[in-house]
PDB file of all heavy atoms in Angstrom:
ATOM      1  N   GLY A  14      -4.189  -4.998   4.259  1.00  0.00           N
ATOM      2  CA  GLY A  14      -3.030  -4.260   4.259  1.00  0.00           C
ATOM      3  C   GLY A  14      -1.803  -5.084   3.865  1.00  0.00           C
ATOM      4  O   GLY A  14      -0.659  -4.407   3.812  1.00  0.00           O
ATOM      5  N   ALA A  15      -1.904  -6.322   3.647  1.00  0.00           N
ATOM      6  CA  ALA A  15      -0.678  -7.123   3.263  1.00  0.00           C
ATOM      7  C   ALA A  15      -0.230  -6.687   1.873  1.00  0.00           C
ATOM      8  O   ALA A  15      -1.088  -6.387   0.956  1.00  0.00           O
ATOM      9  CB  ALA A  15      -0.915  -8.615   3.348  1.00  0.00           C
ATOM     10  N   THR A  16       1.078  -6.763   1.590  1.00  0.00           N
ATOM     11  CA  THR A  16       1.546  -6.420   0.270  1.00  0.00           C
ATOM     12  C   THR A  16       1.531  -7.792  -0.517  1.00  0.00           C
ATOM     13  O   THR A  16       1.580  -8.885  -0.036  1.00  0.00           O
ATOM     14  CB  THR A  16       2.973  -5.873   0.208  1.00  0.00           C
ATOM     15  OG1 THR A  16       3.819  -6.766   0.816  1.00  0.00           O
ATOM     16  CG2 THR A  16       2.923  -4.567   0.997  1.00  0.00           C
ATOM     17  N   LEU A  17       1.673  -7.617  -1.889  1.00  0.00           N
ATOM     18  CA  LEU A  17       1.885  -8.880  -2.744  1.00  0.00           C
ATOM     19  C   LEU A  17       3.035  -9.612  -2.302  1.00  0.00           C
ATOM     20  O   LEU A  17       3.086 -10.925  -2.238  1.00  0.00           O
ATOM     21  CB  LEU A  17       1.995  -8.549  -4.133  1.00  0.00           C
ATOM     22  CG  LEU A  17       0.664  -7.822  -4.717  1.00  0.00           C
ATOM     23  CD1 LEU A  17       0.868  -7.572  -6.223  1.00  0.00           C
ATOM     24  CD2 LEU A  17      -0.621  -8.452  -4.462  1.00  0.00           C
ATOM     25  N   GLY A  18       4.183  -8.900  -2.011  1.00  0.00           N
ATOM     26  CA  GLY A  18       5.416  -9.547  -1.612  1.00  0.00           C
ATOM     27  C   GLY A  18       5.262 -10.387  -0.244  1.00  0.00           C
ATOM     28  O   GLY A  18       5.649 -11.520  -0.233  1.00  0.00           O
ATOM     29  N   GLU A  19       4.404  -9.845   0.659  1.00  0.00           N
ATOM     30  CA  GLU A  19       4.160 -10.600   1.900  1.00  0.00           C
ATOM     31  C   GLU A  19       3.334 -11.834   1.673  1.00  0.00           C
ATOM     32  O   GLU A  19       3.510 -12.847   2.281  1.00  0.00           O
ATOM     33  CB  GLU A  19       3.480  -9.605   2.885  1.00  0.00           C
ATOM     34  CG  GLU A  19       4.450  -8.618   3.394  1.00  0.00           C
ATOM     35  CD  GLU A  19       3.757  -7.529   4.186  1.00  0.00           C
ATOM     36  OE1 GLU A  19       2.564  -7.302   4.084  1.00  0.00           O
ATOM     37  OE2 GLU A  19       4.475  -6.753   4.975  1.00  0.00           O
ATOM     38  N   VAL A  20       2.368 -11.737   0.692  1.00  0.00           N
ATOM     39  CA  VAL A  20       1.560 -12.885   0.312  1.00  0.00           C
ATOM     40  C   VAL A  20       2.467 -13.946  -0.302  1.00  0.00           C
ATOM     41  O   VAL A  20       2.461 -15.087   0.136  1.00  0.00           O
ATOM     42  CB  VAL A  20       0.443 -12.461  -0.639  1.00  0.00           C
ATOM     43  CG1 VAL A  20      -0.373 -13.683  -1.066  1.00  0.00           C
ATOM     44  CG2 VAL A  20      -0.491 -11.493   0.125  1.00  0.00           C
ATOM     45  N   TYR A  21       3.259 -13.530  -1.357  1.00  0.00           N
ATOM     46  CA  TYR A  21       4.067 -14.475  -2.074  1.00  0.00           C
ATOM     47  C   TYR A  21       5.001 -15.156  -1.122  1.00  0.00           C
ATOM     48  O   TYR A  21       5.259 -16.426  -1.120  1.00  0.00           O
ATOM     49  CB  TYR A  21       4.838 -13.863  -3.136  1.00  0.00           C
ATOM     50  CG  TYR A  21       3.989 -13.140  -4.301  1.00  0.00           C
ATOM     51  CD1 TYR A  21       4.477 -12.059  -4.868  1.00  0.00           C
ATOM     52  CD2 TYR A  21       2.757 -13.618  -4.550  1.00  0.00           C
ATOM     53  CE1 TYR A  21       3.837 -11.491  -5.998  1.00  0.00           C
ATOM     54  CE2 TYR A  21       1.896 -13.010  -5.553  1.00  0.00           C
ATOM     55  CZ  TYR A  21       2.506 -11.914  -6.161  1.00  0.00           C
ATOM     56  OH  TYR A  21       1.870 -11.327  -7.198  1.00  0.00           O
ATOM     57  N   HIS A  22       5.631 -14.381  -0.218  1.00  0.00           N
ATOM     58  CA  HIS A  22       6.609 -14.911   0.755  1.00  0.00           C
ATOM     59  C   HIS A  22       5.970 -16.013   1.713  1.00  0.00           C
ATOM     60  O   HIS A  22       6.470 -17.027   1.982  1.00  0.00           O
ATOM     61  CB  HIS A  22       7.284 -13.840   1.548  1.00  0.00           C
ATOM     62  CG  HIS A  22       8.507 -14.143   2.311  1.00  0.00           C
ATOM     63  ND1 HIS A  22       8.328 -14.685   3.612  1.00  0.00           N
ATOM     64  CD2 HIS A  22       9.808 -14.177   2.097  1.00  0.00           C
ATOM     65  CE1 HIS A  22       9.508 -14.862   4.141  1.00  0.00           C
ATOM     66  NE2 HIS A  22      10.433 -14.583   3.179  1.00  0.00           N
ATOM     67  N   SER A  23       4.803 -15.607   2.235  1.00  0.00           N
ATOM     68  CA  SER A  23       4.116 -16.544   3.106  1.00  0.00           C
ATOM     69  C   SER A  23       3.713 -17.829   2.502  1.00  0.00           C
ATOM     70  O   SER A  23       3.774 -18.911   3.074  1.00  0.00           O
ATOM     71  CB  SER A  23       2.836 -15.777   3.680  1.00  0.00           C
ATOM     72  OG  SER A  23       3.238 -14.668   4.428  1.00  0.00           O
ATOM     73  N   VAL A  24       3.209 -17.700   1.253  1.00  0.00           N
ATOM     74  CA  VAL A  24       2.927 -18.953   0.490  1.00  0.00           C
ATOM     75  C   VAL A  24       4.165 -19.825   0.286  1.00  0.00           C
ATOM     76  O   VAL A  24       4.078 -21.104   0.586  1.00  0.00           O
ATOM     77  CB  VAL A  24       2.267 -18.650  -0.835  1.00  0.00           C
ATOM     78  CG1 VAL A  24       1.974 -19.900  -1.682  1.00  0.00           C
ATOM     79  CG2 VAL A  24       0.871 -17.927  -0.587  1.00  0.00           C
ATOM     80  N   ALA A  25       5.185 -19.300  -0.071  1.00  0.00           N
ATOM     81  CA  ALA A  25       6.471 -19.985  -0.403  1.00  0.00           C
ATOM     82  C   ALA A  25       6.963 -20.632   0.852  1.00  0.00           C
ATOM     83  O   ALA A  25       7.680 -21.655   0.868  1.00  0.00           O
ATOM     84  CB  ALA A  25       7.441 -19.105  -1.003  1.00  0.00           C
ATOM     85  N   GLU A  26       6.719 -19.973   1.996  1.00  0.00           N
ATOM     86  CA  GLU A  26       7.192 -20.662   3.325  1.00  0.00           C
ATOM     87  C   GLU A  26       6.535 -21.953   3.540  1.00  0.00           C
ATOM     88  O   GLU A  26       7.098 -22.812   4.255  1.00  0.00           O
ATOM     89  CB  GLU A  26       6.977 -19.611   4.429  1.00  0.00           C
ATOM     90  CG  GLU A  26       8.021 -18.554   4.531  1.00  0.00           C
ATOM     91  CD  GLU A  26       7.755 -17.732   5.788  1.00  0.00           C
ATOM     92  OE1 GLU A  26       6.639 -17.446   6.238  1.00  0.00           O
ATOM     93  OE2 GLU A  26       8.803 -17.406   6.531  1.00  0.00           O
ATOM     94  N   LYS A  27       5.317 -22.138   3.055  1.00  0.00           N
ATOM     95  CA  LYS A  27       4.579 -23.308   3.231  1.00  0.00           C
ATOM     96  C   LYS A  27       4.718 -24.335   2.179  1.00  0.00           C
ATOM     97  O   LYS A  27       4.499 -25.548   2.369  1.00  0.00           O
ATOM     98  CB  LYS A  27       3.067 -22.926   3.521  1.00  0.00           C
ATOM     99  CG  LYS A  27       2.777 -22.171   4.728  1.00  0.00           C
ATOM    100  CD  LYS A  27       3.056 -22.958   6.048  1.00  0.00           C
ATOM    101  CE  LYS A  27       2.613 -22.144   7.273  1.00  0.00           C
ATOM    102  NZ  LYS A  27       1.179 -21.982   7.390  1.00  0.00           N
ATOM    103  N   SER A  28       4.968 -23.905   0.986  1.00  0.00           N
ATOM    104  CA  SER A  28       4.969 -24.775  -0.152  1.00  0.00           C
ATOM    105  C   SER A  28       5.747 -24.233  -1.275  1.00  0.00           C
ATOM    106  O   SER A  28       5.685 -23.032  -1.662  1.00  0.00           O
ATOM    107  CB  SER A  28       3.518 -25.062  -0.679  1.00  0.00           C
ATOM    108  OG  SER A  28       3.422 -25.798  -1.829  1.00  0.00           O
ATOM    109  N   ARG A  29       6.471 -25.131  -2.047  1.00  0.00           N
ATOM    110  CA  ARG A  29       7.269 -24.722  -3.263  1.00  0.00           C
ATOM    111  C   ARG A  29       6.331 -24.930  -4.469  1.00  0.00           C
ATOM    112  O   ARG A  29       6.648 -24.405  -5.559  1.00  0.00           O
ATOM    113  CB  ARG A  29       8.487 -25.689  -3.371  1.00  0.00           C
ATOM    114  CG  ARG A  29       9.444 -25.476  -4.479  1.00  0.00           C
ATOM    115  CD  ARG A  29      10.525 -26.462  -4.617  1.00  0.00           C
ATOM    116  NE  ARG A  29      11.328 -26.264  -5.778  1.00  0.00           N
ATOM    117  CZ  ARG A  29      12.391 -25.637  -5.833  1.00  0.00           C
ATOM    118  NH1 ARG A  29      12.877 -24.892  -4.804  1.00  0.00           N
ATOM    119  NH2 ARG A  29      13.042 -25.504  -6.993  1.00  0.00           N
ATOM    120  N   VAL A  30       5.167 -25.539  -4.281  1.00  0.00           N
ATOM    121  CA  VAL A  30       4.425 -25.774  -5.539  1.00  0.00           C
ATOM    122  C   VAL A  30       3.003 -25.053  -5.471  1.00  0.00           C
ATOM    123  O   VAL A  30       2.106 -25.426  -6.042  1.00  0.00           O
ATOM    124  CB  VAL A  30       4.223 -27.304  -5.725  1.00  0.00           C
ATOM    125  CG1 VAL A  30       5.495 -28.012  -6.057  1.00  0.00           C
ATOM    126  CG2 VAL A  30       3.522 -27.917  -4.496  1.00  0.00           C
ATOM    127  N   HIS A  31       3.022 -23.932  -4.684  1.00  0.00           N
ATOM    128  CA  HIS A  31       1.794 -23.133  -4.697  1.00  0.00           C
ATOM    129  C   HIS A  31       2.209 -21.752  -4.931  1.00  0.00           C
ATOM    130  O   HIS A  31       3.322 -21.346  -4.604  1.00  0.00           O
ATOM    131  CB  HIS A  31       1.123 -23.203  -3.318  1.00  0.00           C
ATOM    132  CG  HIS A  31       0.316 -24.488  -3.037  1.00  0.00           C
ATOM    133  ND1 HIS A  31       0.922 -25.678  -2.584  1.00  0.00           N
ATOM    134  CD2 HIS A  31      -0.940 -24.809  -3.179  1.00  0.00           C
ATOM    135  CE1 HIS A  31       0.072 -26.641  -2.557  1.00  0.00           C
ATOM    136  NE2 HIS A  31      -1.105 -26.195  -2.821  1.00  0.00           N
ATOM    137  N   GLY A  32       1.309 -20.971  -5.521  1.00  0.00           N
ATOM    138  CA  GLY A  32       1.512 -19.582  -5.757  1.00  0.00           C
ATOM    139  C   GLY A  32       0.182 -18.851  -5.853  1.00  0.00           C
ATOM    140  O   GLY A  32      -0.924 -19.391  -5.482  1.00  0.00           O
ATOM    141  N   PHE A  33       0.186 -17.623  -6.267  1.00  0.00           N
ATOM    142  CA  PHE A  33      -1.020 -16.793  -6.344  1.00  0.00           C
ATOM    143  C   PHE A  33      -0.877 -15.996  -7.537  1.00  0.00           C
ATOM    144  O   PHE A  33       0.152 -15.228  -7.697  1.00  0.00           O
ATOM    145  CB  PHE A  33      -1.328 -16.017  -5.111  1.00  0.00           C
ATOM    146  CG  PHE A  33      -2.635 -15.250  -5.184  1.00  0.00           C
ATOM    147  CD1 PHE A  33      -3.779 -15.929  -5.245  1.00  0.00           C
ATOM    148  CD2 PHE A  33      -2.729 -13.915  -5.260  1.00  0.00           C
ATOM    149  CE1 PHE A  33      -5.005 -15.312  -5.335  1.00  0.00           C
ATOM    150  CE2 PHE A  33      -3.796 -13.255  -5.418  1.00  0.00           C
ATOM    151  CZ  PHE A  33      -5.029 -13.919  -5.416  1.00  0.00           C
ATOM    152  N   PRO A  34      -1.945 -15.944  -8.481  1.00  0.00           N
ATOM    153  CA  PRO A  34      -1.798 -15.123  -9.724  1.00  0.00           C
ATOM    154  C   PRO A  34      -2.139 -13.681  -9.512  1.00  0.00           C
ATOM    155  O   PRO A  34      -3.243 -13.188  -9.511  1.00  0.00           O
ATOM    156  CB  PRO A  34      -2.829 -15.850 -10.658  1.00  0.00           C
ATOM    157  CG  PRO A  34      -3.839 -16.337  -9.699  1.00  0.00           C
ATOM    158  CD  PRO A  34      -3.090 -16.797  -8.479  1.00  0.00           C
ATOM    159  N   SER A  35      -1.037 -12.819  -9.387  1.00  0.00           N
ATOM    160  CA  SER A  35      -1.266 -11.470  -9.174  1.00  0.00           C
ATOM    161  C   SER A  35      -0.088 -10.696  -9.602  1.00  0.00           C
ATOM    162  O   SER A  35       0.711 -11.183 -10.478  1.00  0.00           O
ATOM    163  CB  SER A  35      -1.411 -11.341  -7.625  1.00  0.00           C
ATOM    164  OG  SER A  35      -2.209 -10.317  -7.318  1.00  0.00           O
ATOM    165  N   GLY A  36       0.058  -9.379  -9.198  1.00  0.00           N
ATOM    166  CA  GLY A  36       0.971  -8.371  -9.820  1.00  0.00           C
ATOM    167  C   GLY A  36       2.456  -8.722  -9.768  1.00  0.00           C
ATOM    168  O   GLY A  36       2.972  -9.531  -8.965  1.00  0.00           O
ATOM    169  N   LEU A  37       3.214  -7.779 -10.432  1.00  0.00           N
ATOM    170  CA  LEU A  37       4.616  -7.856 -10.489  1.00  0.00           C
ATOM    171  C   LEU A  37       5.279  -7.127  -9.304  1.00  0.00           C
ATOM    172  O   LEU A  37       6.396  -7.535  -8.829  1.00  0.00           O
ATOM    173  CB  LEU A  37       5.212  -7.378 -11.789  1.00  0.00           C
ATOM    174  CG  LEU A  37       4.712  -7.992 -13.152  1.00  0.00           C
ATOM    175  CD1 LEU A  37       5.355  -7.313 -14.235  1.00  0.00           C
ATOM    176  CD2 LEU A  37       5.025  -9.498 -13.079  1.00  0.00           C
ATOM    177  N   CYS A  38       4.730  -6.015  -8.954  1.00  0.00           N
ATOM    178  CA  CYS A  38       5.466  -5.171  -7.897  1.00  0.00           C
ATOM    179  C   CYS A  38       5.131  -5.696  -6.623  1.00  0.00           C
ATOM    180  O   CYS A  38       3.851  -5.720  -6.126  1.00  0.00           O
ATOM    181  CB  CYS A  38       4.997  -3.686  -8.073  1.00  0.00           C
ATOM    182  SG  CYS A  38       5.813  -2.621  -7.053  1.00  0.00           S
ATOM    183  N   HIS A  39       6.092  -5.972  -5.861  1.00  0.00           N
ATOM    184  CA  HIS A  39       5.908  -6.652  -4.503  1.00  0.00           C
ATOM    185  C   HIS A  39       5.398  -5.633  -3.452  1.00  0.00           C
ATOM    186  O   HIS A  39       4.885  -6.094  -2.373  1.00  0.00           O
ATOM    187  CB  HIS A  39       7.285  -7.245  -4.032  1.00  0.00           C
ATOM    188  CG  HIS A  39       8.382  -6.297  -3.705  1.00  0.00           C
ATOM    189  ND1 HIS A  39       9.002  -5.520  -4.617  1.00  0.00           N
ATOM    190  CD2 HIS A  39       8.901  -5.955  -2.478  1.00  0.00           C
ATOM    191  CE1 HIS A  39       9.843  -4.788  -4.004  1.00  0.00           C
ATOM    192  NE2 HIS A  39       9.851  -4.995  -2.832  1.00  0.00           N
ATOM    193  N   THR A  40       5.462  -4.391  -3.670  1.00  0.00           N
ATOM    194  CA  THR A  40       5.075  -3.441  -2.720  1.00  0.00           C
ATOM    195  C   THR A  40       3.605  -3.035  -2.785  1.00  0.00           C
ATOM    196  O   THR A  40       3.010  -2.208  -2.015  1.00  0.00           O
ATOM    197  CB  THR A  40       5.913  -2.224  -2.603  1.00  0.00           C
ATOM    198  OG1 THR A  40       5.886  -1.475  -3.899  1.00  0.00           O
ATOM    199  CG2 THR A  40       7.399  -2.511  -2.262  1.00  0.00           C
ATOM    200  N   ILE A  41       2.876  -3.522  -3.732  1.00  0.00           N
ATOM    201  CA  ILE A  41       1.453  -3.292  -3.984  1.00  0.00           C
ATOM    202  C   ILE A  41       0.679  -3.838  -2.907  1.00  0.00           C
ATOM    203  O   ILE A  41       0.871  -5.032  -2.484  1.00  0.00           O
ATOM    204  CB  ILE A  41       0.938  -3.713  -5.291  1.00  0.00           C
ATOM    205  CG1 ILE A  41       1.567  -2.940  -6.465  1.00  0.00           C
ATOM    206  CG2 ILE A  41      -0.553  -3.703  -5.421  1.00  0.00           C
ATOM    207  CD1 ILE A  41       1.194  -3.419  -7.878  1.00  0.00           C
ATOM    208  N   GLY A  42      -0.344  -3.197  -2.350  1.00  0.00           N
ATOM    209  CA  GLY A  42      -1.119  -3.685  -1.288  1.00  0.00           C
ATOM    210  C   GLY A  42      -2.245  -4.617  -1.978  1.00  0.00           C
ATOM    211  O   GLY A  42      -2.813  -4.355  -2.934  1.00  0.00           O
ATOM    212  N   LEU A  43      -2.464  -5.844  -1.323  1.00  0.00           N
ATOM    213  CA  LEU A  43      -3.326  -6.787  -1.857  1.00  0.00           C
ATOM    214  C   LEU A  43      -4.787  -6.192  -1.926  1.00  0.00           C
ATOM    215  O   LEU A  43      -5.562  -6.485  -2.890  1.00  0.00           O
ATOM    216  CB  LEU A  43      -3.276  -8.044  -1.099  1.00  0.00           C
ATOM    217  CG  LEU A  43      -4.059  -9.178  -1.701  1.00  0.00           C
ATOM    218  CD1 LEU A  43      -3.420  -9.900  -2.821  1.00  0.00           C
ATOM    219  CD2 LEU A  43      -4.507 -10.209  -0.588  1.00  0.00           C
ATOM    220  N   GLY A  44      -5.080  -5.416  -0.860  1.00  0.00           N
ATOM    221  CA  GLY A  44      -6.586  -4.983  -0.755  1.00  0.00           C
ATOM    222  C   GLY A  44      -6.987  -4.231  -2.034  1.00  0.00           C
ATOM    223  O   GLY A  44      -7.988  -4.437  -2.679  1.00  0.00           O
ATOM    224  N   GLY A  45      -6.147  -3.135  -2.401  1.00  0.00           N
ATOM    225  CA  GLY A  45      -6.561  -2.428  -3.611  1.00  0.00           C
ATOM    226  C   GLY A  45      -6.380  -3.154  -4.943  1.00  0.00           C
ATOM    227  O   GLY A  45      -7.155  -3.058  -5.880  1.00  0.00           O
ATOM    228  N   HIS A  46      -5.423  -4.057  -4.972  1.00  0.00           N
ATOM    229  CA  HIS A  46      -5.010  -4.782  -6.170  1.00  0.00           C
ATOM    230  C   HIS A  46      -6.199  -5.721  -6.510  1.00  0.00           C
ATOM    231  O   HIS A  46      -6.680  -5.786  -7.658  1.00  0.00           O
ATOM    232  CB  HIS A  46      -3.726  -5.573  -5.854  1.00  0.00           C
ATOM    233  CG  HIS A  46      -3.169  -6.169  -7.095  1.00  0.00           C
ATOM    234  ND1 HIS A  46      -2.823  -5.494  -8.194  1.00  0.00           N
ATOM    235  CD2 HIS A  46      -2.959  -7.502  -7.449  1.00  0.00           C
ATOM    236  CE1 HIS A  46      -2.306  -6.262  -9.218  1.00  0.00           C
ATOM    237  NE2 HIS A  46      -2.460  -7.545  -8.786  1.00  0.00           N
ATOM    238  N   LEU A  47      -6.679  -6.459  -5.600  1.00  0.00           N
ATOM    239  CA  LEU A  47      -7.820  -7.398  -5.882  1.00  0.00           C
ATOM    240  C   LEU A  47      -9.141  -6.636  -6.120  1.00  0.00           C
ATOM    241  O   LEU A  47      -9.961  -7.127  -6.799  1.00  0.00           O
ATOM    242  CB  LEU A  47      -8.051  -8.377  -4.625  1.00  0.00           C
ATOM    243  CG  LEU A  47      -6.842  -9.383  -4.470  1.00  0.00           C
ATOM    244  CD1 LEU A  47      -7.217 -10.287  -3.330  1.00  0.00           C
ATOM    245  CD2 LEU A  47      -6.460 -10.121  -5.704  1.00  0.00           C
ATOM    246  N   SER A  48      -9.337  -5.457  -5.360  1.00  0.00           N
ATOM    247  CA  SER A  48     -10.603  -4.746  -5.539  1.00  0.00           C
ATOM    248  C   SER A  48     -10.671  -4.180  -6.955  1.00  0.00           C
ATOM    249  O   SER A  48     -11.844  -3.868  -7.392  1.00  0.00           O
ATOM    250  CB  SER A  48     -10.786  -3.686  -4.522  1.00  0.00           C
ATOM    251  OG  SER A  48     -10.016  -2.563  -4.802  1.00  0.00           O
ATOM    252  N   GLY A  49      -9.547  -4.077  -7.661  1.00  0.00           N
ATOM    253  CA  GLY A  49      -9.642  -3.560  -9.039  1.00  0.00           C
ATOM    254  C   GLY A  49      -9.476  -4.583 -10.150  1.00  0.00           C
ATOM    255  O   GLY A  49      -9.644  -4.317 -11.320  1.00  0.00           O
ATOM    256  N   GLY A  50      -9.176  -5.861  -9.760  1.00  0.00           N
ATOM    257  CA  GLY A  50      -8.977  -6.936 -10.641  1.00  0.00           C
ATOM    258  C   GLY A  50      -7.746  -7.800 -10.358  1.00  0.00           C
ATOM    259  O   GLY A  50      -7.812  -8.851  -9.962  1.00  0.00           O
ATOM    260  N   GLY A  51      -6.475  -7.260 -10.613  1.00  0.00           N
ATOM    261  CA  GLY A  51      -5.299  -7.922 -10.199  1.00  0.00           C
ATOM    262  C   GLY A  51      -4.684  -8.689 -11.415  1.00  0.00           C
ATOM    263  O   GLY A  51      -4.724  -9.930 -11.366  1.00  0.00           O
ATOM    264  N   THR A  52      -4.084  -7.973 -12.312  1.00  0.00           N
ATOM    265  CA  THR A  52      -3.290  -8.686 -13.411  1.00  0.00           C
ATOM    266  C   THR A  52      -2.021  -9.172 -13.013  1.00  0.00           C
ATOM    267  O   THR A  52      -1.502  -8.683 -12.063  1.00  0.00           O
ATOM    268  CB  THR A  52      -3.282  -7.648 -14.671  1.00  0.00           C
ATOM    269  OG1 THR A  52      -2.471  -6.582 -14.251  1.00  0.00           O
ATOM    270  CG2 THR A  52      -4.577  -7.202 -15.160  1.00  0.00           C
ATOM    271  N   GLY A  53      -1.443 -10.169 -13.660  1.00  0.00           N
ATOM    272  CA  GLY A  53      -0.188 -10.647 -13.380  1.00  0.00           C
ATOM    273  C   GLY A  53       0.291 -11.776 -14.416  1.00  0.00           C
ATOM    274  O   GLY A  53      -0.384 -12.015 -15.337  1.00  0.00           O
ATOM    275  N   THR A  54       1.431 -12.243 -14.151  1.00  0.00           N
ATOM    276  CA  THR A  54       2.164 -13.197 -15.108  1.00  0.00           C
ATOM    277  C   THR A  54       1.481 -14.544 -15.250  1.00  0.00           C
ATOM    278  O   THR A  54       1.785 -15.259 -16.147  1.00  0.00           O
ATOM    279  CB  THR A  54       3.594 -13.341 -14.763  1.00  0.00           C
ATOM    280  OG1 THR A  54       3.675 -13.933 -13.407  1.00  0.00           O
ATOM    281  CG2 THR A  54       4.413 -12.076 -14.887  1.00  0.00           C
ATOM    282  N   MET A  55       0.580 -14.897 -14.313  1.00  0.00           N
ATOM    283  CA  MET A  55      -0.090 -16.224 -14.385  1.00  0.00           C
ATOM    284  C   MET A  55      -1.586 -16.044 -14.777  1.00  0.00           C
ATOM    285  O   MET A  55      -2.337 -16.977 -14.713  1.00  0.00           O
ATOM    286  CB  MET A  55      -0.040 -16.979 -13.133  1.00  0.00           C
ATOM    287  CG  MET A  55       1.337 -17.429 -12.766  1.00  0.00           C
ATOM    288  SD  MET A  55       1.452 -18.815 -11.557  1.00  0.00           S
ATOM    289  CE  MET A  55       0.962 -17.885 -10.131  1.00  0.00           C
ATOM    290  N   MET A  56      -1.961 -14.848 -15.224  1.00  0.00           N
ATOM    291  CA  MET A  56      -3.421 -14.664 -15.563  1.00  0.00           C
ATOM    292  C   MET A  56      -3.852 -15.421 -16.860  1.00  0.00           C
ATOM    293  O   MET A  56      -5.075 -15.829 -16.908  1.00  0.00           O
ATOM    294  CB  MET A  56      -3.756 -13.212 -15.717  1.00  0.00           C
ATOM    295  CG  MET A  56      -3.073 -12.454 -16.920  1.00  0.00           C
ATOM    296  SD  MET A  56      -3.522 -10.601 -16.855  1.00  0.00           S
ATOM    297  CE  MET A  56      -2.629 -10.060 -18.241  1.00  0.00           C
ATOM    298  N   ARG A  57      -2.948 -15.758 -17.761  1.00  0.00           N
ATOM    299  CA  ARG A  57      -3.301 -16.550 -18.923  1.00  0.00           C
ATOM    300  C   ARG A  57      -3.569 -18.009 -18.579  1.00  0.00           C
ATOM    301  O   ARG A  57      -4.312 -18.751 -19.202  1.00  0.00           O
ATOM    302  CB  ARG A  57      -2.303 -16.454 -20.032  1.00  0.00           C
ATOM    303  CG  ARG A  57      -2.071 -15.077 -20.549  1.00  0.00           C
ATOM    304  CD  ARG A  57      -1.169 -15.052 -21.807  1.00  0.00           C
ATOM    305  NE  ARG A  57      -1.886 -15.760 -22.897  1.00  0.00           N
ATOM    306  CZ  ARG A  57      -1.505 -16.972 -23.342  1.00  0.00           C
ATOM    307  NH1 ARG A  57      -0.499 -17.651 -22.851  1.00  0.00           N
ATOM    308  NH2 ARG A  57      -2.231 -17.529 -24.309  1.00  0.00           N
TER     309      ARG A  57
END
């Protein structure tokens, strides 16, 4: 039930040099996003 924004924010709290390759909209739920694939700006 976490959103992409909550994931990105939590990662950034721990490290400036880590991220996660996923979508643009921060309010998307991670559960559904990953279960369908999860495109984003780092997929290449």
